[in-house]
Amino acid sequence: MTASKHSPNSLRHHFLVASPYLADPRFHGGVIYLCEHSDEGAFGLMINQPLQIHLGEILEQLDMSGGELDLPVYSGGPVEPERGFVLHPPGTSWQNTAKVTDEVLLTTSRDVLSAIGKNNGPDEFLVALGYSGWSEGQLEEELGSNAWLTCPATTDLLFRTPWGDRYRAVLELIGIDLNQLSDSIGHA
C-alpha cells in the first residue's frame, strides 16, 4: 500500500458490496473494506466471510500463544489466500503497518498476531487471509457497469458489528432495505 496518487475520487475507507450485476459468485453477499484506491489500482479485504478456521488454530500453526482464541478469521478475497492481514485502530506500533486512515491501520507482520495471542494486541481487530485486488482502472470499470455499490466506511461497522450483520448494515448505510430486494431484479 502506498500513499501515492490518491485522487479526490478515491474510495479508500469505503465499503463495497456486490450488486446483482456482478457475475463473480465469490463476492455474492460479501462486504469489502477498501484499504487502498488510487490511479494504480485498488486493494481491499472482505470482512464478512469467515473461514472454517478460527484465530486460535492459526496461532497454534505459527507456534504462538493464543490457541484458545475462538475468533473468526475472514476470507479477505481470492488473491494470495495464504497471506495474512490485520485491520486495527492505532495504538501500539507493529513492524509492517500501513495507515489506511487516522482510525484504521493495516498490519501484515507476525508481531501483531503474537501480541494478540498474548492478549497484548489491539483492543479491536479483524484478521483476514487473502485479499481482493483490482488493477489500474479495473475497479472503475466495474463501478461503471454497476457491479458494486459503495458507501463510506465506519469503524463501528468494521470492528463492532457482528460479521453476520455487516452485509445488511452496509446496505442500510447505502439506503437499501434488504427486505425490499427481489430475486427477480430486471424481470417483469
Side-chain angles (χ1 to χ4, degrees):
M1 213 167 71
T2 64
S4 65
K5 299 182 186 168
H6 290 292
S7 75
N9 298 325
S10 174
L11 293 176
R12 174 187 268 213
H13 191 62
H14 277 65
F15 291 124
L16 296 178
V17 293
S19 80
Y21 303 107
L22 183 67
D24 192 333
R26 296 175 297 185
F27 296 107
H28 179 72
V31 175
I32 295 174
Y33 174 72
L34 276 183
C35 302
E36 177 65 55
H37 182 221
S38 71
D39 294 340
E40 298 167 8
F43 164 89
L45 300 174
M46 198 160 358
I47 61 166
N48 71 328
Q49 304 290 334
L51 296 167
Q52 295 297 313
I53 187 170
H54 61 77
L55 182 56
E57 291 174 273
I58 288 179
L59 294 174
E60 282 180 355
Q61 289 175 8
L62 295 171
D63 293 323
M64 295 180 181
S65 303
E68 71 285 350
L69 291 174
D70 188 19
L71 299 171
V73 173
Y74 300 92
S75 169
V79 183
E80 294 187 54
E82 71 287 347
R83 190 168 171 201
F85 301 89
V86 180
L87 289 170
H88 58 88
T92 306
S93 295
W94 311 104
Q95 289 175 4
N96 293 316
T97 298
K99 178 179 172 182
V100 179
T101 70
D102 289 339
E103 301 170 326
V104 181
L105 303 177
L106 176 70
T107 298
T108 59
S109 52
R110 291 172 51 111
D111 58 339
V112 70
L113 291 175
S114 178
I116 288 170
K118 294 175 184 171
N119 204 25
N120 294 327
D123 292 335
E124 299 177 304
F125 58 87
L126 185 146
V127 178
L129 292 176
Y131 67 93
S132 302
W134 294 264
S135 60
E136 180 180 339
Q138 183 182 2
L139 181 57
E140 290 77 10
E141 184 178 310
E142 291 178 12
L143 288 166
S145 66
N146 297 317
W148 299 100
L149 304 171
T150 68
C151 72
T154 69
T155 54
D156 186 54
L157 199 149
L158 185 61
F159 295 121
R160 294 177 284 283
T161 300
W163 70 264
D165 297 335
R166 290 179 181 154
Y167 181 71
R168 181 182 300 272
V170 170
L171 289 179
E172 287 174 4
L173 282 175
I174 295 170
I176 297 172
D177 181 352
L178 190 58
N179 297 321
Q180 299 297 318
L181 287 180
S182 168
D183 288 339
S184 58
I185 290 176
H187 301 286

